[in-house]
Amino acid sequence: MALILGIESSCDETAAAVIDSDGTSLAARIVAQRIASQDEMHRPYGGVVPEIAARAHAEVIGPMVAQVLADAGLSLSDMDAIAATAGPGLIGGVMVGLVTGKALAMAADKPLIAVNHLEGHALSPRLADPTLAYPYLLLLVSGGHCQILEVRALGDYRRLATTIDDALGEAFDKTAKILGLGYPGGPAVERLAREGDPKAVPLPRPLVGSGEPHFSFAGLKSAVMRAKQAGTFADADIAASFQQAALDCVIDRTRIALGVCGPVTALVVAGGVAANAALRGALEQLAASVGLPLVAPPPKLCTDNAAMIGWAGAERFALGYTDGLDVAARPRWPLDANAAPVRGAGVKG
Ligand code: KG4
Ligand code: ZN
């Protein structure tokens, strides 16, 4: 059996976990995990401030690793490897976690595994559901990323779609800001949307009907802003109409992707926005309509965590992939380096 220490610090959660790769259930696989959210520190600014994030990670990560090992009743010398997020993300934060991982690996003479944060999200459904087999179609929707990928095997990803402007979580966060719901906005928009009428506000569905499954949410966000400024709609109706429009886009785009991907075992959703119950419900229906199961990790595994990093590390370790202590932190690190750039797209991978 392999015991892996996972470390995550690429955005605004500091997290550490101990993973047992031989566990046959989610509960058995996550031996211990801890997460410290920085939400309170960033709230006054309405978004993540990179310098504050990096400093907070540095203060918390050392004691947290010690705590999580104590929770597990294990010591560093019991670990088979140390897996740390090496990107993509806010570079100051990534460096804190990666340097911590390197120091622990060096001190305990254990192999280091540099994990792509997106691979952590992409494989998190396999951590949650031991029966999920490659290849699967993955909708990866978080605050920084919005992609559809064919996950063929560990390290073999084909990107079928990406966003040409905002990520889906970003659209939720900006809508929350427009409605004065605070940060982070996704869960607040979802809560308010339950009290509103999803048909009350006419909003655009960018790119719906286009032949390639890419995403665009900038026009939807601007329309939400105009609806708020008009002063004639209730906030709950704006939230519900926004969520409906965004989900209509996601379902249409995912349907197109299902039509162009190779044979897959399941439709899978991961990333922070996969915690959204309305999205999960809509995807459930879409998957059933094409005879596939929907696999969605429990909401706590959808938002950033170290268990998914430890798990991706465990899958890599099982195949003998380890990294040198000179491995660099990467602000950008696409899962599919061969994906063609999308016309009109910004720099997001
Ligand atoms: O994966 P994640 O924790 O961090 C990134 O890697 O980006 O995703 C965070 C994003 C935020 O934009 C947050 O607003 C969104 O996921 N989110 C949600 C929900 N929970 C989190 N969006 C919509 N509905 C939710 N329930
Ligand atoms: Zn993430």
Side-chain angles (χ1 to χ4, degrees):
M1 97 173 176
L3 288 168
I4 311 286
L5 174 67
I7 295 172
E8 160 62 28
S9 60
S10 66
C11 191
D12 59 347
E13 330 279 348
T14 316
V18 174
I19 293 295
D20 173 1
S21 64
D22 280 354
T24 51
S25 67
L26 177 59
R29 286 173 166 184
I30 302 179
V31 183
Q33 70 165 328
R34 286 191 172 238
I35 301 181
S37 167
Q38 302 173 0
D39 284 355
E40 293 302 328
M41 293 173 211
H42 300 294
R43 189 160 286 139
Y45 308 96
V48 180
V49 182
E51 287 75 15
I52 294 177
R55 185 177 295 247
H57 287 307
E59 282 168 7
V60 169
I61 191 75
M64 181 181 279
V65 167
Q67 263 305 332
V68 87
L69 286 168
D71 293 346
L74 296 166
S75 68
L76 195 55
S77 58
D78 296 318
M79 297 299 111
D80 292 292
I82 318 289
T85 298
L90 299 173
I91 193 67
V94 173
M95 284 169 68
V96 168
L98 184 58
V99 164
T100 303
K102 287 179 181 182
L104 294 171
M106 196 189 288
D109 196 19
K110 302 289 178 183
L112 174 76
I113 303 165
V115 173
N116 183 321
H117 177 84
L118 298 174
E119 184 167 80
H121 280 301
L123 305 188
S124 63
R126 281 170 54 83
L127 164 60
D129 181 350
T131 67
L132 176 62
Y134 297 120
Y136 51 86
L137 189 72
L138 171 72
L139 173 66
L140 176 52
V141 277
S142 71
H145 297 273
C146 190
Q147 304 185 355
I148 303 177
L149 295 147
E150 211 176 294
V151 179
R152 295 160 160 175
L154 177 70
D156 184 1
Y157 310 101
R158 183 164 78 108
R159 196 188 76 190
L160 301 178
T162 188
T163 178
I164 64 169
D165 41 57
D166 295 348
L168 181 58
E170 209 176 341
F172 271 90
D173 291 336
K174 286 177 177 169
T175 295
K177 207 167 184 175
I178 292 166
L179 297 179
L181 299 178
Y183 172 84
V189 170
E190 181 178 21
R191 268 195 304 278
L192 187 60
R194 282 195 210 111
E195 296 158 27
D197 174 2
K199 295 201 179 79
V201 186
L203 292 172
R205 269 86 174 141
L207 293 185
V208 162
S210 89
E212 286 186 309
H214 297 305
F215 299 92
S216 168
F217 294 107
L220 175 56
K221 172 194 65 190
S222 307
V224 166
M225 175 74 91
R226 287 193 295 274
K228 173 67 181 172
Q229 284 167 348
T232 48
F233 299 107
D235 282 359
D237 287 343
I238 297 177
S241 300
F242 158 77
Q243 182 169 275
Q244 188 61 54
L247 297 197
D248 286 352
C249 295
V250 172
I251 296 304
D252 176 78
R253 312 288 63 218
T254 309
R255 184 182 290 114
I256 298 291
L258 281 165
V260 298
C261 71
V264 288
T265 63
L267 174 61
V268 172
V269 63
V273 191
N276 184 289
L279 174 64
R280 292 161 89 102
L283 287 170
E284 193 86 56
Q285 282 184 12
L286 174 65
S289 76
V290 293
L292 287 175
L294 176 74
V295 177
K300 276 203 175 125
L301 267 191
C302 290
T303 45
D304 288 348
N305 64 85
M308 70 181 190
I309 303 303
W311 176 257
E315 288 214 27
R316 294 203 149 255
F317 186 67
L319 295 186
Y321 299 151
T322 60
D323 295 274
L325 292 178
D326 57 348
V327 66
R330 300 172 64 170
R332 300 205 177 277
W333 187 358
L335 276 182
D336 178 359
N338 299 318
V342 181
R343 208 151 57 99
V347 288
K348 289 181 182 138

